[in-house]
Amino acid sequence: MTIAKKTVCLLGVSFLTASAWAQPAAGEWEVTLGGSGNSDNDFDRGAFSLDGSLGYYLTDNWEVSLRQGIGFSSQGDRWSGNTRGAVDYNFQLGNIVPYLGANIGYLYGDDFEDRFAAGPEAGVKWYVLEKTFIFTGAEYQFFFEEARDIDNQFKDGNFVFTVGIGFNI
């Protein structure tokens, strides 16, 4: 067998072996950290955001989370933040774990009127080590000030994307 074939076989066996241990389990905690930023081409103006979460697996698939985000924009030195709760169903597919869920929380900041937000979410966790994963997620947020406003506000929401790293402990 050539070296290339041996390498491919070894990588394939490693991938299959890794998928056997890359599963969150009931009773485990999950911690994530993500962020993003942008700047103009002269680095005169920009913005950044950091997001973190603490989750708990009620079962091997169902997870509840508390999430916190903070952002800053240098245009006017404006801060923003959000605190949200989420419920997600994790599909255990080896070292790839897609999830679907929903979240609700509160957004606050210098640039806008404080308000509630809620919406569906989906994402994928890719386990690169036994209890360590890289993730990407997307959610659709719609905003409201009172529960009676929810029906009228859904169509005026926006999408939020996140990329980060997570750990099961």
Side-chain angles (χ1 to χ4, degrees):
M1 195 182 273
T2 68
I3 293 177
K5 286 183 182 179
K6 287 180 184 178
T7 303
V8 169
C9 288
L10 181 61
L11 289 173
V13 169
S14 297
F15 179 77
L16 293 173
T17 304
S19 67
W21 45 253
Q23 299 285 326
E28 283 189 343
W29 291 90
E30 179 178 284
V31 177
T32 66
L33 181 61
S36 66
N38 64 56
S39 177
D40 65 7
N41 61 352
D42 293 326
F43 294 99
D44 292 335
R45 290 182 303 238
F48 75 88
S49 68
L50 294 174
D51 297 292
S53 73
L54 178 64
Y56 181 77
Y57 282 87
L58 301 170
T59 69
D60 288 351
N61 302 96
W62 286 102
E63 176 187 11
V64 293
S65 300
L66 179 64
R67 299 182 181 148
Q68 180 63 50
I70 188 166
F72 176 78
S73 173
S74 65
Q75 288 184 328
D77 291 338
R78 295 186 172 116
W79 289 92
S80 64
N82 63 77
T83 305
R84 302 179 328 275
V87 176
D88 292 319
Y89 186 85
N90 293 271
F91 298 89
Q92 305 285 353
L93 304 176
N95 64 335
I96 304 293
V97 179
Y99 65 89
L100 290 174
N103 68 70
I104 188 168
Y106 198 66
L107 284 70
Y108 38 91
D110 297 333
D111 255 354
F112 52 85
E113 186 175 323
D114 298 357
R115 59 190 173 223
F116 290 98
E121 61 185 27
V124 177
K125 302 171 187 174
W126 177 46
Y127 281 82
V128 294
L129 295 173
E130 183 174 355
K131 300 292 180 182
T132 304
F133 58 90
I134 297 169
F135 73 95
T136 184
E139 60 186 81
Y140 180 77
Q141 290 182 341
F142 60 94
F143 311 106
F144 57 97
E145 293 179 23
E146 297 178 5
R148 68 175 185 223
D149 298 333
I150 291 174
D151 287 343
N152 297 330
Q153 299 301 321
F154 187 81
K155 66 180 176 12
D156 295 327
N158 67 317
F159 289 94
V160 177
F161 304 99
T162 305
V163 175
I165 188 167
F167 308 93
N168 294 115
I169 49 177

